[in-house]
Amino acid sequence: MENREPGIHFGWVGVLAASGVVTTYLAFWGPFIPNLGDNAVAVWQSIFTNFGVGVFSAAVLLLFEPKLRRVITKTVSKSVTEEVKKDVREAVQADLDERLAPLSDRINSLYDQRLAEQDAVISDLAKDFTHEKVLGSFLEASNVSALAQDSIVVQAEDEPGRLHIGLQWRFPDELQPYNNPARRQAPPEEYKELHLKASGDDVWAEVVWSSDEHFEEAAIRLAEEMARRRQRGLAEKIDWKPVLPRFEKSIRSAIDASNRVPGSLPFKSALVEVAGSDSAPWYLTSDGLHHPSRDWFLHRRDIGAKQSWLSHEPEKHPEKPEWADLKEWNYILDSAKSHFTHW
């Protein structure tokens, strides 16, 4: 059957083509019915011509139809397949973009939100130095391990070493985790207290800043405690005006450094203390001494600790940088040695 079908096909095509030619020929040259008028002859010629051309055209189409069908089918099939593949790829990519892009945007917005929340807590701290706001700042600092032992010390007077003020968020002595294991798993904000401290030449005093009192009440109690210890008289008033902005700047610098905020100070560990002038301060961190304005750093291993019965190594004596102020250098180096001795 497969071998005869092409012959039959071409046979029918030949018959149709011949019929079309003959019919078209007869339209102009063949005999017509006698006694037909000229108008009738013209009508019949038109009919025969159209019929003959139609039959001949059908024969031509039948002759080339299989080949045309294969070509068209192949072309259309390929085009449709490629178009479908393209549509599928675009649909899949669009779906991925729709899923991943918004997710990435949401994650990035959460980063920005957390940074904005931290900034809002610290912002204007010096102007709004309330227990709630300071506690919130220490909580944010603790969350990113910005302050060593949740404590910060700043210089209170122009002469380094004379008076320094510190804030620490810690457990009361009787509730320290090593004294009370049950407190180790307790939320720190439920038991920790803010401690206001004063230190310097022959000065050491500390009071607890209660959540129900204003800062000025805690400040005057600290002054009274120093007077009681005969360390500093009540007439020697503390100028708090520069101290509060130094607290704000120090806490912000520590948190920004922990968060690797662009342009932040290059601290690799928690901040302990800030001393020296406001324009070019010294920063003591848990890994050493920094002086950012000079792009200078001294690692703790080169500082050493104060010699004691616990230490068998000789005390180190780092050389003062040529540009360093002698009083500032002596104070900050002694403070660093004391800190690393306790550590």
Side-chain angles (χ1 to χ4, degrees), residues 299-318:
H299 197 275
R300 61 177 296 175
R301 63 173 172 266
D302 299 317
I303 297 173
K306 290 186 175 181
Q307 194 169 17
S308 66
W309 64 273
L310 292 174
S311 175
H312 302 289
E313 295 183 3
E315 187 172 342
K316 296 180 180 180
H317 299 281

Side-chain angles (χ1 to χ4, degrees), residues 156-205:
E157 296 187 345
D158 292 338
E159 183 180 344
R162 186 179 178 193
L163 181 65
H164 296 258
I165 302 295
L167 278 169
Q168 185 177 24
W169 185 46
R170 64 175 175 82
F171 288 101
D173 292 336
E174 67 273 13
L175 294 181
Q176 288 291 339
Y178 51 77
N179 291 331
N180 194 330
R183 295 290 182 266
R184 294 174 185 172
Q185 302 300 324
E189 55 269 26
E190 292 186 11
Y191 298 98
K192 282 186 174 182
E193 298 173 332
L194 281 173
H195 292 246
L196 181 63
K197 302 183 288 184
S199 60
D201 296 339
D202 300 321
V203 174
W204 176 257

Side-chain angles (χ1 to χ4, degrees), residues 223-284:
E224 290 173 342
E225 178 65 15
M226 286 189 287
R228 186 184 70 81
R229 294 169 177 258
R230 299 190 65 84
Q231 296 173 348
R232 187 182 178 100
L234 287 176
E236 298 178 280
K237 298 177 182 179
I238 299 174
D239 183 7
W240 290 97
K241 188 175 181 180
V243 173
L244 302 186
R246 287 169 186 166
F247 276 131
E248 178 181 340
K249 181 180 179 181
S250 300
I251 296 173
R252 180 184 295 280
S253 296
I255 291 178
D256 286 350
S258 291
N259 287 331
R260 303 294 191 269
V261 173
S264 61
L265 297 174
F267 300 158
K268 294 183 179 179
S269 62
L271 182 61
V272 177
E273 181 176 358
V274 182
S277 66
D278 290 333
S279 59
W282 295 84
Y283 293 88
L284 171 59

Side-chain angles (χ1 to χ4, degrees), residues 5-301:
E5 282 182 358
I8 295 173
H9 176 76
F10 283 112
W12 279 105
V13 169
V15 171
L16 285 174
S19 300
V21 171
V22 171
T23 303
T24 304
Y25 172 80
L26 290 176
F28 292 94
W29 304 105
F32 286 91
I33 301 172
N35 301 323
L36 285 178
D38 292 339
N39 293 334
V41 171
V43 170
W44 281 103
Q45 283 181 336
S46 177
I47 293 172
F48 274 82
T49 300
N50 290 334
F51 181 78
V53 171
V55 172
F56 183 80
S57 299
V60 173
L61 288 175
L62 286 174
L63 177 64
F64 293 103
E65 181 269 340
K67 186 175 182 179
L68 288 172
R69 183 173 56 191
R70 286 195 299 270
V71 172
I72 292 172
T73 301
K74 184 177 180 181
T75 302
V76 171
S77 177
K78 182 178 180 180
S79 176
V80 170
T81 302
E82 291 299 326
E83 189 66 27
V84 169
K85 288 181 179 179
K86 181 181 178 182
D87 291 343
V88 170
R89 285 196 300 267
E90 290 178 352
V92 171
Q93 186 62 44
D95 184 61
L96 287 175
D97 292 343
E98 184 178 354
R99 291 185 181 185
L100 297 180
L103 177 59
S104 176
D105 292 343
R106 290 198 301 272
I107 293 173
N108 288 335
S109 68
L110 290 177
Y111 276 106
D112 295 337
Q113 180 181 335
R114 283 297 296 123
L115 290 171
E117 288 172 354
Q118 290 179 345
D119 185 71
V121 171
I122 305 167
S123 182
D124 293 328
L125 179 63
K127 296 179 182 179
D128 187 22
F129 210 77
T130 63
H131 187 279
E132 180 182 7
K133 195 167 180 67
V134 173
L135 180 60
S137 298
F138 271 83
L139 181 59
E140 294 293 347
S142 181
N143 287 339
V144 293
S145 302
L147 301 176
Q149 299 176 321
D150 291 328
S151 173
I152 184 63
V153 177
V154 299
Q155 189 168 307
E157 296 187 345
D158 292 338
E159 183 180 344
R162 186 179 178 193
L163 181 65
H164 296 258
I165 302 295
L167 278 169
Q168 185 177 24
W169 185 46
R170 64 175 175 82
F171 288 101
D173 292 336
E174 67 273 13
L175 294 181
Q176 288 291 339
Y178 51 77
N179 291 331
N180 194 330
R183 295 290 182 266
R184 294 174 185 172
Q185 302 300 324
E189 55 269 26
E190 292 186 11
Y191 298 98
K192 282 186 174 182
E193 298 173 332
L194 281 173
H195 292 246
L196 181 63
K197 302 183 288 184
S199 60
D201 296 339
D202 300 321
V203 174
W204 176 257
E206 179 179 331
V207 296
V208 175
W209 180 9
S210 301
S211 59
D212 60 350
E213 66 179 346
H214 298 295
F215 178 72
E216 54 266 30
E217 297 175 277
I220 196 63
R221 287 197 297 107
L222 180 66
E224 290 173 342
E225 178 65 15
M226 286 189 287
R228 186 184 70 81
R229 294 169 177 258
R230 299 190 65 84
Q231 296 173 348
R232 187 182 178 100
L234 287 176
E236 298 178 280
K237 298 177 182 179
I238 299 174
D239 183 7
W240 290 97
K241 188 175 181 180
V243 173
L244 302 186
R246 287 169 186 166
F247 276 131
E248 178 181 340
K249 181 180 179 181
S250 300
I251 296 173
R252 180 184 295 280
S253 296
I255 291 178
D256 286 350
S258 291
N259 287 331
R260 303 294 191 269
V261 173
S264 61
L265 297 174
F267 300 158
K268 294 183 179 179
S269 62
L271 182 61
V272 177
E273 181 176 358
V274 182
S277 66
D278 290 333
S279 59
W282 295 84
Y283 293 88
L284 171 59
T285 67
S286 295
D287 66 339
L289 272 176
H290 297 258
H291 201 288
S293 65
R294 293 282 181 170
D295 195 22
W296 181 91
F297 172 70
L298 184 64
H299 197 275
R300 61 177 296 175
R301 63 173 172 266

